[in-house]
Amino acid sequence: MEAKLTLYGALFNPKTNKILLTAAYANVTLHRQIMQNIKDTKTPEYLKKHGLGKIPLLETPAGYIFETNSICRYLARLQPSAGLLGNGEFEASQVDQYLDFCATELEPVYVRLVYPILGIRPADPEVQAKAREELNVLLKFLDERLRISTYLVGNQVTLADIAIGLSLVEVYRLIFDAAARNTFQNVTRWFLHLVHLPLFAQTIGRVTLCTSPWQPASLPPPQQAQASEAPKKGVASTAEVKKAATEKGKKPAEAAPSKQEKPAQAQPEEEEKKEKNPLDLLPPSGFNFYDFKTLFANSADKREAMKTFWQQFDPAGFSIWLLHYKKAEGEGVKLFLTSNLANGFLQRLDHFRKYALAVHGVYGQDGKYEVKGCWIWRGTGHPQEIKDQDTYEYHTFTQADPNNAEHRALVEDYMCNTEPGTIVDGLPIAEVSYFK
């Protein structure tokens, strides 16, 4: 009997995905324990498993293993024939060197470069510029190694390819446009080869390459960027201080050194220039979406809550959509991998929660799973938040007609059912969740 292994980790997370992909190559079954909220890792029960309250964590019959690379090595050792640790002592040491390279060199750069784009940490243009320079040095090093090799170690996929390859997914998805990809042709060739391998594709889904680099939301608009010798935004220069004082008829005081100057408060006109979400600029609606979402979330009888929805729904200000993900070959076979696709889509839409309510997830059974959902959102078209998703083109969108009795019944079936096994639109629920 195969020992039960339980992975505690977040959905659609690079570290979690490295472990899942390693398990797939090693043909090892992992049971998932989703830890999407930081509070989940601070409970007394979890702290008994990992005293630092961190993820990922692997529970084995012998005890617990933490740190991504250690977990991956453990899984690889369970199936030596998979060759994930290389062939022979020398290749095994090469795999180790690349795992260390990934953890100590590549991942710190990834955090400083990608996290601001994902909204995980504040943006600092200087820090990001420096990180980009460091990334170029690291990739130049890898590019030379891959000049005459298909894989980083030996002649097959190893943990080295899994660790570094998955660390570059968001770089290629969000930052590296065609020009950047062309700068590191060997790395790009290797990366594209990996993400099109069946097990990679099943684990992380399709990777849509960047066409125009994404920018952190907190970065100032381009028109506000100043030359390096100009004063920083929000900081009064010595000349400005003197000019202001002179205009008031007062003797200008000497300005303190720039490093001691305090940022000036934002002016009202600057605040007005902040770009608003187009959905906030739509004509007012009589349908109080926030109140309905609160009612729906707290209602024990969802169908009773839907009666209120149909009574108040404003088709001129909101719309209802049935979404269906168009699977690539090899997708939709394993439940946990399909759930990873569905939840990754939701996670990337976290900033859209204010404007939407949905039930989304996995339907089907026995290796024939579908990612589907029913969405209610502000506006009558496809919001930019939806269009910005890298899997947008791989979804079909069918608008439901609130005046059509069959459509209303189908919408209610989706919105009111989350229990596994319940039949919705001809398929049993496998794993779904509310997006609210």
Side-chain angles (χ1 to χ4, degrees):
M1 181 178 178
E2 188 178 74
K4 181 178 180 180
L5 302 174
T6 301
L7 175 64
Y8 297 82
L11 292 166
F12 209 75
N13 176 280
K15 294 183 177 180
T16 303
N17 284 342
K18 290 176 185 180
I19 297 170
L20 294 176
L21 185 53
T22 300
Y25 268 97
N27 197 26
V28 174
T29 300
L30 293 180
H31 299 271
R32 301 288 303 282
Q33 184 65 43
I34 307 303
M35 309 289 286
Q36 204 63 23
N37 193 315
I38 189 65
K39 294 180 181 178
D40 297 336
T41 66
K42 305 304 179 184
T43 64
E45 294 79 9
Y46 187 75
L47 290 173
K48 290 179 181 179
K49 305 176 189 294
H50 192 327
L52 296 178
K54 294 186 177 182
I55 51 175
L57 178 73
L58 183 69
E59 182 176 357
T60 79
Y64 300 96
I65 302 173
F66 60 91
E67 295 299 338
T68 305
N69 288 343
S70 294
I71 296 172
C72 289
R73 287 189 180 99
Y74 172 81
L75 296 174
R77 291 188 186 107
L78 294 179
Q79 192 66 269
S81 61
L84 292 173
L85 295 173
N87 295 309
E89 293 299 325
F90 180 70
E91 286 191 3
S93 295
Q94 285 187 308
V95 171
D96 284 340
Q97 79 179 5
Y98 281 115
L99 290 178
D100 290 346
F101 168 85
C102 185
T104 62
E105 301 285 350
L106 186 56
E107 288 181 3
V109 172
Y110 171 94
V111 168
R112 301 200 304 275
L113 193 58
V114 176
Y115 276 22
I117 296 176
L118 298 178
I120 299 175
R121 65 184 292 172
D124 185 322
E126 292 183 5
V127 170
Q128 285 195 284
K130 179 63 175 176
R132 181 61 183 269
E133 292 176 3
E134 294 177 19
L135 178 63
N136 289 345
V137 172
L138 298 177
L139 293 189
K140 183 178 180 181
F141 164 74
L142 292 176
D143 202 64
E144 179 59 26
R145 169 68 186 96
L146 291 165
R147 182 173 57 86
I148 57 174
S149 304
T150 302
Y151 302 101
L152 286 171
V153 177
N155 298 311
Q156 66 177 77
V157 170
T158 66
L159 290 185
D161 301 292
I162 291 174
I164 295 178
L166 292 195
S167 292
L168 292 176
V169 168
E170 297 304 319
V171 172
Y172 274 87
R173 191 174 73 86
L174 303 175
I175 300 172
F176 271 14
D177 56 13
R181 295 194 295 271
N182 192 55
T183 302
F184 307 104
Q185 294 183 8
N186 299 320
V187 173
T188 298
R189 168 184 50 77
W190 163 80
F191 176 79
L192 293 178
H193 169 66
L194 290 182
V195 298
H196 284 92
L197 292 173
L199 290 180
F200 271 80
Q202 290 173 26
T203 303
I204 63 175
R206 282 171 283 199
V207 177
T208 302
L209 298 178
C210 173
T211 55
S212 179
W214 290 38
Q215 297 296 324
S218 55
L219 281 177
Q223 64 267 24
Q224 292 180 346
Q226 303 293 325
S228 58
E229 65 271 18
K232 291 184 178 179
K233 180 186 174 184
V235 179
S237 67
T238 301
E240 290 170 334
V241 172
K242 292 181 177 180
K243 179 180 178 181
T246 301
E247 290 175 349
K248 292 181 180 180
K250 298 179 180 179
K251 182 179 179 181
E254 289 299 320
S258 59
K259 65 180 181 180
Q260 296 180 3
E261 290 175 341
K262 296 182 179 180
Q265 294 183 349
Q267 298 299 315
E269 57 267 27
E270 291 180 351
E271 294 178 354
E272 293 176 1
K273 291 180 180 179
K274 290 182 179 178
E275 187 176 353
K276 292 186 177 181
N277 190 308
L279 297 177
D280 292 325
L281 301 178
L282 293 174
S285 172
F287 178 34
N288 191 317
F289 196 37
Y290 176 81
D291 283 355
F292 172 72
K293 288 172 66 174
T294 303
L295 169 69
F296 187 80
N298 296 322
S299 176
D301 188 342
K302 302 298 185 189
R303 290 194 180 275
E304 189 65 28
M306 286 302 291
K307 291 181 180 179
T308 301
F309 172 76
W310 296 120
Q311 292 170 358
Q312 299 179 355
F313 181 69
D314 171 21
F318 294 81
S319 52
I320 309 167
W321 299 85
L322 302 178
L323 273 62
H324 190 178
Y325 174 69
K326 295 182 285 187
K327 298 180 296 184
E329 184 178 355
E331 291 183 328
V333 178
K334 293 186 178 181
L335 177 57
F336 78 90
L337 293 177
T338 311
S339 294
N340 207 30
L341 291 174
N343 287 293
F345 180 76
L346 296 181
Q347 188 178 41
R348 293 190 295 272
L349 281 170
D350 199 57
H351 58 297
F352 187 52
R353 291 182 184 275
K354 173 184 175 182
Y355 306 100
L357 173 66
V359 169
H360 192 86
V362 182
Y363 296 80
Q365 61 185 355
D366 300 332
K368 296 180 180 179
Y369 297 108
E370 302 290 337
V371 177
K372 306 172 69 177
C374 178
W375 289 72
I376 304 165
W377 60 51
R378 187 74 165 101
T380 57
H382 295 184
Q384 192 60 45
E385 289 87 347
I386 294 292
K387 293 179 181 179
D388 284 341
Q389 296 306 299
D390 59 358
T391 58
Y392 171 70
E393 62 182 301
Y394 302 124
H395 282 82
T396 59
F397 298 81
T398 303
Q399 187 167 5
D401 181 357
N403 296 314
N404 183 303
E406 291 184 2
H407 287 195
R408 287 168 66 122
L410 183 58
V411 169
E412 289 192 15
D413 280 348
Y414 271 105
M415 298 301 298
C416 300
N417 292 299
T418 58
E419 187 68 25
T422 306
I423 303 299
V424 175
D425 197 16
L427 292 175
I429 294 175
E431 187 176 289
V432 302
S433 61
Y434 283 112
F435 179 89
K436 56 184 186 293

